[in-house]
Amino acid sequence: MATATVPWRRARGLGVVAAATAMVTALAVPAAAAPGVSPAVVDRDADPGTSIPVSKVVSTPPIPPKPDVVLLVDTTGSMGGAIANVRTNLQQVITDVRAAQPSAQFAVASYRDTGDGAELFRVRQNLTGDAVALQAAVDGLAAGGGGDTPEAWVNALVEVSEGAVAYRSGSSRIVVLVGDAPSHDPSNGRTLAQAGAALQADEARVIAVNVAGAAGGLDATGQAASVVAATGGQLVDSSPDTVTAALLAGLRDLDVTVTPSVTSCDPGLSVTFDAASRTQQSGTDVPFAETITVAGDAAQGAVLHCTVDFLLDGVSAGAPFVQTISVRVNDVTPPTVVVDDRTVEATSPAGAVIDYPASATDNVDGPLTPTCVPPPGSTFPLGDTSVTCTATDAAGNTGSDTAVMRVVDTTAPATACVPTNNPSGDNTPGSYNPDGFYELTSTDVVDTAVEVFIVDSMNPLVRFGPFPAGTKIKLVQAPGAQSKVKDGTGDIDYKVTLNGDAVITGVDDAGNVSTPAVCLVAPPPK
């Protein structure tokens, strides 16, 4: 707009100049919580198959991170007061923005109308952090030209978004459109729809500083509201002398979208959130309910890690917004203990010594030494004895196994018919026993009192006994006579009369029967 005189009106949301000044000052006040994620470190112990709930708060900065701010200013004749305000307060704007985001850079561009030749659109200073260069660019702004009421800011927005400004990679792109009149649509052949699409493609948001004036401001026909809505920006009313305050208010009022992004996670660990993202005003705390889940098959004893970057408007905001997770997976599996049943032969009346093997292995601690009751190397009695072996790992998990140690007696006694002296004489038996005196012997590994039986070799149905081992007999052969046993005299226990020889066997307590031994009967005297 060409008119140089602009009637003042109250700025929406700003009030008088004093209120604007207070807003500038407030922007520089640190937030109660420093921007970042809290808690930034999660260090927990958990069982496999369990979840850890974490209440997460992302404190957003008052201005989006790594901002690239393009000041796009209307320099037609009616904008003298607004340009003067920007020129006077530019350094304060830079200082306040950098107090919140030290990496901020600024560019300065201007626009007029299609009849203004080279002033239709100009980049006065591309993005830089050089405050002196920026001041020089703003000092070079001068109000003039214009013509009819609408200007050509639609064209300017397209120019900015199609390469006129070289944004940094990963920056928060903000175009601050300052003007007091609507735009031609189309403008220099560019439409409002094209401008919105170009800004969206560039991921740039528009803060429209709607300067009050006779032309009705940027949003006189709803154009500014449309482009602000399309880009997620802000529409801020201003008078010519509060432009910079409005600019700062708009930066502070931008919405920020916080998106948790799991950048890495060890197998067996996962992280989810109650929302994929949340959008709130910059400078506020954004809550998330985080759930860390340990898989049922997670490696026990391992320390698993995840990293989550809480992106702001899709951009990494640096270390304060990165969360690290460490979960020690509890060892809940007891050791595997192995002890096997064994069967051994008795070696004495007490049983047998069994030095049985037993082992234990833990999924985390590896081989362990089990404790067994009764221990290996113990003497086990005849029959079955239960053994229990246990092992406890470093986490306190105890595993056990049981086995049966069985001691058996399957060894038969050793039986013999030993010729002995005639108790009434002094003769020593020779190769045969002419007098028929014998001692019935039978010894066993286990049984100390083996029973001995006598069978007539001529009639196996004739069986006498049991007799204790060590019994002494007088054996008489009487063919055709009745086989019998009667008490002996002296140290002879029994007198045994048979038709044939005496076949003796020993039987132990386990029922094992010895190999038969024969007591030969002396031939009858001639």
Side-chain angles (χ1 to χ4, degrees):
M1 181 177 178
T3 307
T5 303
V6 181
W8 185 88
R9 67 180 177 86
R10 186 180 182 87
R12 192 168 59 215
L14 288 177
V16 295
V17 174
T21 304
M23 185 172 294
V24 173
T25 304
L27 184 64
V29 176
V37 59
S38 178
V41 176
V42 177
D43 191 349
R44 301 286 183 86
D45 297 340
D47 291 348
T50 61
S51 295
I52 304 169
V54 180
S55 295
K56 192 68 57 180
V57 174
V58 180
S59 298
T60 62
I63 294 176
K66 195 178 179 181
D68 280 348
V69 181
V70 180
L71 298 176
L72 181 57
V73 182
D74 178 356
T75 58
T76 57
S78 60
M79 287 291 290
I83 292 171
N85 179 264
V86 174
R87 184 182 298 120
T88 300
N89 296 308
L90 176 66
Q91 295 304 311
Q92 185 63 52
V93 170
I94 294 172
T95 298
D96 290 346
V97 171
R98 285 183 176 164
Q101 294 293 351
S103 64
Q105 290 194 2
F106 296 83
V108 179
S110 63
Y111 69 89
R112 289 185 183 175
D113 205 350
T114 52
D116 290 314
E119 297 299 321
L120 172 64
F121 171 77
R122 284 182 61 184
V123 175
R124 307 280 180 155
Q125 172 61 58
N126 219 312
L127 284 166
T128 183
D130 186 343
V132 174
L134 290 167
Q135 186 67 54
V138 170
D139 288 346
L141 297 176
D148 58 357
T149 297
E151 311 299 358
W153 55 259
V154 165
N155 172 72
L157 290 175
V158 176
E159 292 279 2
V160 168
S161 298
E162 290 189 348
V165 173
Y167 291 114
R168 291 175 293 173
S169 175
S171 64
S172 297
R173 299 166 182 185
I174 303 166
V175 178
V176 180
L177 175 63
V178 181
D180 64 355
S183 176
H184 290 286
D185 183 15
S187 167
N188 197 32
R190 274 74 177 265
T191 66
L192 185 64
Q194 285 178 294
L199 289 160
Q200 290 172 346
D202 227 9
E203 298 182 348
R205 288 181 283 182
V206 173
I207 296 176
V209 179
N210 192 35
V211 180
L218 294 171
D219 201 41
T221 61
Q223 293 171 319
S226 174
V227 76
V228 162
T231 62
Q234 289 287 330
L235 176 61
V236 186
D237 287 349
S238 173
S239 63
D241 57 354
T242 59
V243 168
T244 51
L247 183 160
L248 289 168
L251 285 171
R252 187 182 182 93
D253 287 344
L254 284 175
D255 284 341
V256 61
T257 298
V258 181
T259 304
S261 174
V262 181
T263 57
S264 66
C265 238
D266 290 338
L269 198 63
S270 61
V271 184
T272 57
F273 295 87
D274 62 330
S277 64
R278 283 200 167 92
T279 300
Q280 291 184 193
Q281 183 179 337
S282 292
T284 61
D285 289 342
V286 182
F288 287 95
E290 180 180 54
T291 301
I292 304 167
T293 301
V294 183
D297 59 354
Q300 296 178 29
V303 180
L304 304 181
H305 303 90
C306 282
T307 302
V308 182
D309 192 354
F310 290 83
L311 306 179
L312 303 184
D313 293 328
V315 176
S316 178
F321 292 85
V322 175
Q323 171 196 227
T324 59
I325 299 170
S326 298
V327 176
R328 284 171 295 280
V329 184
N330 294 330
D331 177 7
V332 298
T333 301
T336 299
V337 181
V338 177
V339 57
D340 295 326
D341 298 344
R342 298 198 75 188
T343 299
V344 300
E345 189 71 18
T347 58
S348 73
V353 173
I354 305 179
D355 193 14
Y356 59 87
S359 64
T361 304
D362 186 63
N363 61 325
V364 174
D365 300 337
L368 300 173
T369 300
T371 299
C372 300
V373 180
S378 299
T379 297
F380 289 82
L382 280 168
D384 293 348
T385 302
S386 291
V387 167
T388 300
C389 296
T390 60
T392 302
D393 62 19
N397 303 303
T398 298
S400 66
D401 191 21
T402 59
V404 173
M405 299 297 132
R406 177 169 294 164
V407 180
V408 298
D409 179 10
T410 63
T411 302
T415 302
C417 190
V418 181
T420 190
N421 293 341
N422 186 333
S424 61
D426 296 328
N427 64 304
T428 300
S431 59
Y432 67 94
N433 187 355
D435 297 328
F437 290 99
Y438 292 94
E439 182 179 0
L440 310 181
T441 66
S442 188
T443 58
D444 188 69
V445 171
V446 176
D447 190 357
T448 59
V450 180
E451 295 178 333
V452 180
F453 294 86
I454 301 173
V455 175
D456 191 336
S457 65
M458 297 299 292
N459 184 1
L461 296 178
V462 176
R463 187 170 185 263
F464 298 107
F467 304 100
T471 297
K472 291 183 177 181
I473 66 170
K474 165 64 175 175
L475 185 57
V476 177
Q477 188 181 66
Q482 181 180 358
S483 299
K484 59 185 176 180
V485 175
K486 66 178 184 178
D487 293 340
T489 59
D491 67 348
I492 300 303
D493 297 306
Y494 299 100
K495 181 179 180 181
V496 181
T497 300
L498 301 174
N499 282 259
D501 295 322
V503 179
I504 66 170
T505 54
V507 180
D508 63 17
D509 283 343
N512 300 304
V513 180
S514 71
T515 301
V518 180
C519 299
L520 297 175
V521 179
K526 297 181 180 179

